[in-house]
Amino acid sequence: MLATLALEAGRAISHVDLADELWSDQPLGNVRNALQAQATRIRRVLDGKTGQGPGRTVLRAVGNGYLLDIPPENVDGNRFLDLAARGAALLHCQPDCALKMLQEALALWRGPALLDAGDGLRCRSAATLFDERRLTVWEDIVGARLAVGENRQAIVDLSQLVAHHPLHERFYEQLMLALYRVGRHSDALDLYHRLRARLDEELGLQPSERLKRRYADILCQDPSLESSAAVWADRVGSRIAVR
């Protein structure tokens, strides 16, 4: 219930919507009483943490629902999304500032998104959003490291990311670039072949055209791989084709 209200901090959620989120697969005799019992338990914790008196609780009953009366920016999930967006906006022009902001965003995480928040649609959808955005933030962090020349630290980060996300092509592409830039050309090429074999074996797929171009550029030691342009968006075309 707290997670559901925090996702909509400052906005009321109806009894019906809360009950559907919490007990969609369980028949309830009295929804209002069940929600009231949950609200009482939450207030015991929240009021002690915030120092609010009984009459000024942050969890308020309003009309036909409940409201978590706090600014949206006080919720870590919202702060994460905001920092992630602001960091991404700075990537191309100020990668050093972007790196700090994106690291601050990841520092808000304490474990899996909305762990133990139940199987309600709102929380499941939000957890999926947070998890996907977290991966994007990692892509942006590594991109910022590559842009400011932190290639070796990028390799450390990406080696772990590839181990945890073995079919995430963007991490492979970034790792290939980082390896190439520190002189590990053969390792970069071998990484491509390992991913190609894995994609074929597990999914019956070939690497994306973008990854093929990265491989081709490394194969011919394209000078553009040392430029900041190689870090960001997909380039149009390539000087050679993968054979």
Side-chain angles (χ1 to χ4, degrees):
M1 180 173 178
L2 177 59
T4 304
L5 292 168
L7 290 171
E8 300 286 346
R11 296 174 57 185
I13 300 182
S14 71
H15 295 138
V16 172
D17 287 344
L18 282 171
D20 186 57
E21 180 71 15
L22 273 63
W23 303 294
S24 60
D25 58 345
Q26 303 173 33
L28 289 178
N30 191 316
V31 168
R32 286 178 180 253
N33 283 352
L35 288 171
Q36 198 170 51
Q38 295 283 6
T40 299
R41 294 173 59 198
I42 293 172
R43 287 188 181 114
R44 288 195 190 112
V45 177
L46 291 186
D47 294 349
K49 297 290 186 181
T50 61
Q52 301 284 348
R56 300 187 61 188
T57 179
V58 296
L59 177 56
R60 295 168 43 205
V62 289
N64 291 317
Y66 285 92
L67 164 73
L68 191 62
D69 192 11
I70 61 173
E73 60 268 22
N74 283 14
V75 178
D76 281 353
N78 293 332
R79 291 173 60 204
F80 164 74
L81 293 175
D82 178 62
L83 286 166
R86 288 162 57 198
L90 294 174
L91 278 173
H92 295 252
C93 55
Q94 300 180 59
D96 52 342
C97 293
L99 181 57
K100 293 177 182 177
M101 200 168 290
L102 294 165
Q103 288 174 321
E104 186 179 347
L106 282 185
L108 294 169
W109 284 70
R110 298 290 182 271
L114 295 170
L115 182 64
D116 298 330
D119 295 324
L121 180 59
R122 288 173 184 246
C123 285
R124 282 192 289 110
S125 298
T128 299
L129 167 65
F130 288 133
D131 286 337
E132 287 295 326
R133 196 68 186 91
R134 188 184 196 181
L135 281 180
T136 304
V137 168
W138 267 117
E139 290 179 10
D140 291 344
I141 281 179
V142 174
R145 289 199 188 282
L146 292 170
V148 300
E150 295 183 5
N151 297 303
R152 296 190 184 280
Q153 183 57 50
I155 291 173
V156 173
D157 292 340
L158 285 164
S159 297
Q160 296 181 44
L161 290 167
V162 163
H164 286 98
H165 306 280
L167 296 176
H168 194 89
E169 286 197 17
R170 178 60 174 157
F171 292 147
Y172 280 86
E173 181 193 350
Q174 291 176 311
L175 182 53
M176 287 167 64
L177 178 62
L179 289 168
Y180 176 84
R181 284 183 168 184
V182 299
R184 297 169 59 182
H185 299 182
S186 60
D187 288 340
L189 296 173
D190 180 63
L191 185 67
Y192 172 85
H193 289 297
R194 284 193 283 125
L195 175 60
R196 184 177 64 175
R198 185 160 197 162
L199 287 171
D200 181 55
E201 179 182 344
E202 296 187 17
L203 301 175
L205 297 175
Q206 289 293 309
S208 66
E209 291 302 316
R210 176 170 176 161
L211 199 63
K212 289 179 180 178
R213 285 194 292 272
R214 177 55 43 92
Y215 172 79
D217 288 344
I218 291 173
L219 197 63
C220 69
Q221 300 184 32
D222 192 323
S224 68
L225 292 171
E226 299 294 344
S227 71
S228 59
V231 177
W232 306 123
D234 190 14
R235 291 183 298 158
V236 178
S238 183
R239 281 197 279 273
I240 69 171
V242 179
R243 293 177 174 82

